[in-house]
Amino acid sequence: MADLFTSYMGLKLRNPLIVGSSDLTRSASGIKRCEEAGAGAVIMKSIFEEQFLAEDDIQDRDYTVHPEALDYMRGGGLLEYAPHSITRIIEEAKKDISIPIIASINCQTPKLWPSFARQIQEAGADGLELNIYFLPIDIDSPCKVYEDQHLQILKEVKKEVSIPVSVKLTSQITSVPYLGRRLAQAGCDALVLFNWFLEPDIDVENLKTRSLIGKGNFYQSLRWIALLADRIDCDLASSGGVQKAEDIVKQILAGASAVQVCTLFYKKGLDEIKNLLGGMETWMDEHQYSGIEDFKGELSFKKQELRFRDLGEAEAYFRAQYLKAYSK
Ligand SMILES: Cc1cc2nc3c(=O)[nH]c(=O)nc-3n(C[C@H](O)[C@H](O)[C@H](O)COP(=O)(O)O)c2cc1C
């Protein structure tokens, strides 16, 4: 019988299926339900910098919170999941949950990331995911500015905590491999590919803009997991678009150590975890793989690269595939 054990960012997971950061994981009882349903680990709902500021009523001109965000939080939207309660949730959850609990924070202000990280470690979280989300609006800022911000946040957080730290990236970064390598060199324990942006839309009747919730893109994750696996010195997790067991197998073949899933559980419930894991075991048995390491990264670029003389030839190969696809 196949063994689904995997190691992810230095943590031991009974299987690679992680329930992604969402409202499914924002309470100790929610995390318990994920464990009972069979998940290998959970990422807790992200805590946002604005929640820390609002909870402590911090008035500081360094910290700008848009009034709409404050109104939303004070209306009950996010304040009940504020920093003091997240540390209590972690403490409570750690009493009778044995799967790893990875907290998630999303900040804008460089000063705040490290101090939140420390509080979360002290509460007993097994790991920390930095949900880094910048929308580059400034036409005078080159991509280096944004890439350096990622590095700076990671380095400051790593100074404060000893638990493993992952970075969840957006796909809209000039060079995912280059930034990924720099983050790995700076001590990032895992990269999560990808976060999603809010999608813009326009209400043509009322001439207003509006934001739509984003969507995970399975193939985008698959591409970059395959391109990064075994070429940078940290683990990889995919996040986006998993619908069935075969999708998890694909991400592992590309090189992922773990796979985060969310929307599927909103649609079909956490019972779906058993089907996903059962499907993986069946596939592994049929292909005579006894463990995840036996096939992890088998179809990564690193393995395929051996077919090419050098990176230039690999780029030419991808260019040829592109040309063929557009010439049909
Ligand atoms: C309702 C909902 C809430 C989410 N909240 C967060 C969040 O607070 N922080 C975060 O990093 N990702 C959040 N996500 C994104 C998920 O963690 C995950 O990256 C993504 O949904 C995975 O793709 P999938 O939903 O296609 O499985 C949320 C997703 C959903 C559906």
Side-chain angles (χ1 to χ4, degrees), residues 2 10 31 37 61 63 104 113-115 129 139 147 174-175 182 197-198 257 259 291 297-298 310:
I31 297 171
R61 63 195 158 78
Y63 308 129
S104 164
W113 291 87
S115 83
E129 186 171 283
I139 54 171
E147 295 190 358
T174 321
S175 168
R182 290 180 77 200
F197 278 103
L198 287 174
S257 298
V259 175
E298 269 310 298
D310 51 29

Side-chain angles (χ1 to χ4, degrees), residues 20-22 45-46 48 131 168 194 196 216 239-241 261-263 266:
S21 176
S22 62
K45 172 79 186 158
S46 297
F48 292 84
N131 170 10
K168 189 176 191 184
F194 288 107
W196 29 256
S239 181
V261 185
C262 240
T263 304
Y266 275 91

Side-chain angles (χ1 to χ4, degrees), residues 181-226:
R181 180 173 62 79
R182 290 180 77 200
L183 287 165
Q185 284 172 339
C188 181
D189 296 283
L191 281 183
V192 183
L193 310 178
F194 288 107
N195 216 333
W196 29 256
F197 278 103
L198 287 174
E199 306 290 357
D201 195 17
I202 289 179
D203 173 347
V204 294
E205 289 311 318
N206 299 302
L207 300 192
K208 279 189 173 164
T209 57
R210 60 186 175 201
S211 295
L212 306 176
I213 196 152
K215 265 209 303 252
N217 184 324
F218 177 81
Y219 293 102
Q220 214 163 51
S221 275
L222 191 67
R223 166 188 290 133
W224 292 109
I225 296 275

